[in-house]
Amino acid sequence: MDVRTSIVWDYAPAPESTDHVRLRDDYGLFIGGEFRAPQDGRHEPTFNPATEEPIAQIAWAGEADLRAAVAAAREAQAAWAALPGRERAKYLFRIARLIQERARELAVVETLDGGKPLRESRDIDIPLAAAHFFHYAGWADKLSYGIGGRACAPMGVVGQIVPWNFPLLMAAWKLAPALACGNTAILKPAETTPLTALLLAEIIQEAELPAGVVAVLPGDGATGAALVRCEGIDKLAFTGSTAVGRDIQSAVAGRGIGLTLELGGKSANIVFEDAALDQAVEGIVNGIFFNQGHVCCAGSRLFVQESVADEVVSKLWDRMGRLRVGDPLDKNTDVGAINSAEQLQRIEALVAAGEEEGAVRRSIACDVPDRGYWFAPTLLTDVSPAHRVAVEEIFGPVVSVLTFRTQAEAIEKANNSRYGLAAGIWTDKGAKAFEVASALQAGVIWQNTYNHFDPTAAFGGYKESGFGREGGPAGLRPYLRVS
Ligand code: NAD
């Protein structure tokens, strides 16, 4: 008789200290190499979503500030582009090194401002942000090799708008290739997470980048819309929702402006019966609960082969019960706070719609603080492909489970989406993985892993997930005029 008792793991609190973080009470706009007050004097607080407490006052840019930043960027551009590539590279290397030096502080601030677990900001966001600057520093003197040996020139002044889910990392994805290619850049961080972009502006100052090469202009959608419409921009790069991407595409039509759009997703994570199921379950958890599911390429549509569906769902539910939800600054936390009250409402509304349409909901039991924005990791079964929870991006810790019988059915169902950002394939058959990957309409496809990012690899979408690629040599192309 088996008399073993199960081990109940518990953890003592392990909060990361915030003593080393030196935030100012208020931040200006970073224009022309210095922090300035906004011309209309507007400041808004940025909040910690885990406590709902304000952290700092942030200047929001208006149209006059945007014009000043574009003028400074235009003035700086020719000299920046005229530097030999290896000289521009030195600045990028310096930025990368300074990010590494301030990594602990940046990780804590990312977690305070955005709600993501410290474990992720410390081990993923910040190291990858530094890695992007290192990677593109290496390309700065080899640009034509990166684009097939053709002659090239920078686009000029680029406008870059980023979302709140990976604030510093998205800033690095945008700035590093733009600067390596000889462009000057105006970065607009998201309204709920401006802090690490402003710390990056401090780093850029410390790295002694020439004034005007980078501007950081916080603000909301109105600031973003004004940047899109500002005279003097040669190229726009946007990461965010498909709805805003559409608005931007129509606003730039006919203006001869380069555009890349990294938009939403509803990515398929496909588990075949021959997969190593325990590993697949880890991959499913990483695919959807990483960063509270605020991930454009999250594996939010889980397709499981019917023969193993009950087993996978049971293992997944068991594993979900071990996720630790709570204080994002605690080093043991797996799932932190939802980024904002609005995002929490969106998640709640979509999950409620799923239940109304017949999905069966299971959310894990967890004690969360009284204040802050929280959503328990949730599993939806009995989902049909037409349900809203199988079609629309939830952008939260919610996985919708669907099943399939054959490989052909898996491919057809996975491609039955208006999005095409990423996919995961779990199988122990290499040939099957290649066959399925070739048939999937998705920009990034992982085999027996999920949510792995690397600066050398291109990232981007098909269909309503956008166009253009970021990362690797492919990420140079949108920032160059190629002749
Ligand atoms: P959002 O589109 O509302 O905002 C993104 C950014 O655009 C913010 O800085 C915001 O202030 C700005 N903005 C808002 N309205 C604007 C307008 N009319 N014109 C110009 N700028 C405007 O999206 P979000 O809610 O912040 O982010 C979540 C979305 O981003 C999700 O759909 C997610 O899939 C997507 N996303 C995609 C990727 C990718 O690489 N494909 C990466 C991260 C997030």
Side-chain angles (χ1 to χ4, degrees):
M1 193 173 89
D2 187 355
V3 289
R4 282 189 307 169
T5 50
S6 62
I7 301 170
V8 179
W9 291 100
D10 210 353
Y11 298 82
E16 169 70 35
S17 157
T18 55
D19 295 351
H20 57 285
V21 172
R22 292 149 302 156
L23 285 172
R24 306 182 205 171
D25 293 334
D26 88 67
Y27 284 85
L29 308 170
F30 185 67
I31 300 176
E34 57 180 25
F35 285 93
R36 294 185 191 173
Q39 298 201 22
D40 65 2
R42 183 169 181 194
H43 282 75
E44 297 289 339
T46 185
F47 290 92
N48 178 343
T51 62
E52 298 176 54
E53 276 161 16
I55 309 173
Q57 290 288 328
I58 309 294
W60 278 19
E63 286 181 25
D65 305 304
L66 286 166
R67 282 195 296 275
V70 172
R74 176 67 59 206
E75 204 183 318
Q77 201 266 323
W80 178 247
L83 283 179
R86 65 178 182 282
E87 292 302 318
R88 281 199 305 278
K90 284 184 193 166
Y91 288 103
L92 297 190
F93 277 124
R94 254 185 238 168
I95 294 171
R97 292 285 297 123
L98 287 166
I99 290 175
Q100 289 184 322
E101 272 171 33
R102 290 178 69 173
R104 191 163 162 231
E105 179 192 0
L106 287 165
V108 170
V109 174
E110 199 72 301
T111 287
L112 285 173
D113 206 17
K116 65 173 63 200
L118 182 86
R119 202 163 54 82
E120 292 177 5
S121 47
R122 181 196 62 197
D123 298 348
I124 297 167
D125 292 62
I126 311 304
L128 267 179
H132 271 267
F133 279 103
F134 277 125
H135 180 73
Y136 282 107
W139 276 114
D141 61 349
K142 308 173 191 68
L143 296 176
S144 75
Y145 294 99
I147 52 165
R150 295 166 68 186
C152 57
M155 297 295 285
V157 176
V158 304
Q160 306 182 313
I161 300 173
V162 293
W164 42 261
N165 54 348
F166 293 92
L168 184 71
L169 183 57
M170 290 298 113
W173 278 29
K174 296 271 178 289
L175 288 174
L179 300 182
C181 293
N183 302 282
T184 52
I186 295 159
L187 177 78
K188 196 208 80 66
E191 47 271 53
T192 58
T193 54
L195 281 176
T196 47
L198 291 161
L199 296 190
L200 181 62
E202 289 179 358
I203 285 174
I204 283 167
Q205 245 180 350
E206 205 181 332
E208 296 179 356
L209 240 75
V213 170
V214 173
V216 179
L217 301 188
D220 60 0
T223 310
L227 176 58
V228 167
R229 286 156 182 86
C230 200
E231 288 293 316
I233 299 278
D234 300 303
K235 187 229 157 23
L236 278 162
F238 171 76
T239 297
S241 59
T242 298
V244 174
R246 263 194 209 110
D247 176 63
I248 293 178
Q249 197 167 9
S250 59
V252 305
R255 285 167 58 199
I257 293 176
L259 178 65
T260 37
L261 296 175
E262 302 276 1
L263 307 176
K266 189 77 187 173
S267 298
N269 203 359
I270 306 170
V271 180
F272 286 98
E273 60 191 359
D274 55 44
L277 296 186
D278 290 322
Q279 276 160 265
V281 166
E282 284 307 308
I284 296 164
V285 166
N286 183 40
I288 188 63
F289 301 121
F290 171 56
N291 199 26
Q292 296 75 244
H294 302 327
V295 182
C296 49
C297 51
S300 52
R301 284 185 303 151
L302 172 64
F303 290 99
V304 189
Q305 196 150 18
E306 223 169 75
S307 50
V308 291
D310 289 345
E311 188 181 352
V312 168
V313 168
S314 146
K315 281 176 186 279
L316 175 59
W317 179 242
D318 197 44
R319 175 67 181 84
M320 283 171 63
R322 289 173 175 74
L323 289 171
R324 299 179 62 83
V325 184
D327 180 7
L329 276 176
D330 192 309
K331 292 170 208 140
N332 294 321
T333 294
D334 298 307
V335 178
I338 298 302
N339 183 266
S340 64
E342 296 72 42
Q343 187 58 29
L344 180 57
Q345 273 167 16
R346 256 180 250 161
I347 299 169
E348 284 170 344
L350 261 171
V351 171
E355 285 186 273
E356 270 163 37
E357 286 181 319
V360 174
R361 170 184 180 171
R362 275 185 267 178
S363 298
I364 68 166
C366 45
D367 288 331
V368 291
D370 297 335
R371 303 196 65 190
Y373 314 123
W374 310 96
F375 196 88
T378 293
L379 178 65
L380 297 175
T381 47
D382 292 4
V383 175
S384 95
H387 286 166
R388 285 182 66 193
V389 290
V391 174
E392 294 178 35
E393 186 177 37
I394 300 176
F395 223 56
V398 181
V399 61
S400 300
V401 186
L402 299 107
T403 58
F404 64 93
R405 288 183 192 168
T406 64
Q407 180 174 316
E409 189 188 344
I411 293 166
E412 197 179 322
K413 284 184 163 169
N415 283 340
N416 179 21
S417 169
R418 59 176 185 257
Y419 296 113
L421 194 53
I425 302 169
W426 296 84
T427 171
D428 74 349
K429 307 274 184 296
K432 184 191 277 185
F434 280 115
E435 250 177 59
V436 175
S438 329
L440 289 177
Q441 293 156 354
V444 178
I445 300 175
W446 288 288
Q447 184 198 346
N448 293 339
T449 185
Y450 207 95
N451 274 341
H452 263 187
F453 303 100
D454 190 294
T456 64
F459 186 93
Y462 280 75
K463 303 193 270 187
E464 290 192 19
S465 293
F467 50 79
R469 293 291 178 267
E470 293 186 308
L476 297 168
R477 185 65 184 79
Y479 289 103
L480 292 170
R481 293 178 203 277
V482 177
S483 46

